[in-house]
């Protein structure tokens, strides 16, 4: 990785609020009475944005899917699925902090084809895999999120 992008808590919270506004606007435009039945945080990175989005969108039902795709600063060749979410039905939003290669979202879409996917940050190789995101980051940039520093 050539560059490092360090994100503060304040900046991360602001991006989460922007994503919540984007999601709410999108649902209003589609004339859907309620945004989502629940959220699925893709752990571990999706836990913090899922909590903020759940608060902003007034969603109380939160599940997790636990997938390991990184070892320290190296992306793994294969996904390690640690925990699947409970049986989910209806309109669900899967939440990530970052979509990098898009492999995790691609895998989850194969299991949950009607779900929507959101990420705070998106790198070019994975950007097309998510339905919503707020900020594009260069593919070769390493992101240091506030809970990692």
């Amino acid at each position: 990785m050539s560059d490092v992008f360090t994100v503060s808590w304040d900046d991360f919270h602001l991006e989460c609020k922007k994503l919540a506004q984007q999601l709410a606007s999108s649902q209003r435009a589609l004339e859907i009475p309620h945004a989502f039945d629940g959220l699925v945080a893709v752990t571990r990175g999706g836990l913090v944005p899922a909590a903020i989005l759940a608060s902003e969108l007034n969603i109380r039902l939160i599940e997790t899917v636990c997938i390991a795709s990184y070892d320290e600063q190296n992306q793994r060749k294969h996904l390690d699925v640690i925990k699947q979410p409970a049986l989910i039905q209806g309109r669900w939003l899967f939440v990530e902090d970052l979509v990098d290669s898009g492999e995790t979202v691609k895998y989850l879409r194969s299991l949950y084809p009607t779900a929507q996917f959101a990420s705070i940050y998106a790198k070019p190789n994975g950007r097309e895999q998510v339905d919503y995101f707020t900020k594009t980051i260069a593919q070769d940039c390493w992101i240091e999120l506030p809970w990692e520093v």
Side-chain angles (χ1 to χ4, degrees):
M1 299 284 164
S2 63
D3 293 323
V4 176
F5 176 56
T6 303
V7 180
S8 71
W9 280 107
D10 287 344
D11 289 343
F12 190 80
H13 194 251
L14 180 64
E15 292 300 327
C16 288
K17 284 181 153 277
K18 284 182 190 175
L19 183 58
Q21 291 169 351
Q22 189 183 117
L23 289 160
S25 293
S26 172
Q27 300 311 305
R28 279 192 303 273
L30 295 173
E31 298 180 4
I32 297 171
H34 59 84
F36 299 98
D37 296 315
L39 299 179
V40 178
V42 182
T43 71
R44 290 179 307 216
L47 289 169
V48 174
I52 296 168
L53 290 174
S55 178
E56 291 292 316
L57 299 171
N58 196 28
I59 298 171
R60 297 193 179 270
L61 187 54
I62 301 172
E63 260 295 339
T64 59
V65 59
C66 306
I67 297 179
S69 59
Y70 282 90
D71 286 324
E72 295 176 25
Q73 289 192 2
N74 300 313
Q75 193 165 12
R76 294 179 179 193
K77 289 183 171 60
H78 302 286
L79 297 175
D80 184 13
V81 180
I82 301 163
K83 175 195 170 284
Q84 298 269 356
L87 179 61
I88 58 175
Q89 297 176 341
R91 294 181 40 81
W92 283 78
L93 177 69
F94 282 69
V95 179
E96 277 268 38
D97 56 350
L98 163 72
V99 60
D100 189 330
S101 68
E103 291 304 314
T104 300
V105 176
K106 230 184 269 186
Y107 169 74
L108 290 170
R109 274 193 191 280
S110 73
L111 298 176
Y112 307 100
T114 62
Q116 296 282 296
F117 291 83
S119 177
I120 304 303
Y121 303 104
K123 291 187 176 182
N125 289 352
R127 188 173 47 214
E128 69 183 36
Q129 297 301 319
V130 290
D131 302 299
Y132 308 94
F133 67 94
T134 61
K135 193 170 206 161
T136 301
I137 304 297
Q139 194 65 44
D140 64 345
C141 184
W142 181 258
I143 299 177
E144 287 184 342
L145 294 159
W147 53 91
E148 298 172 334
V149 243

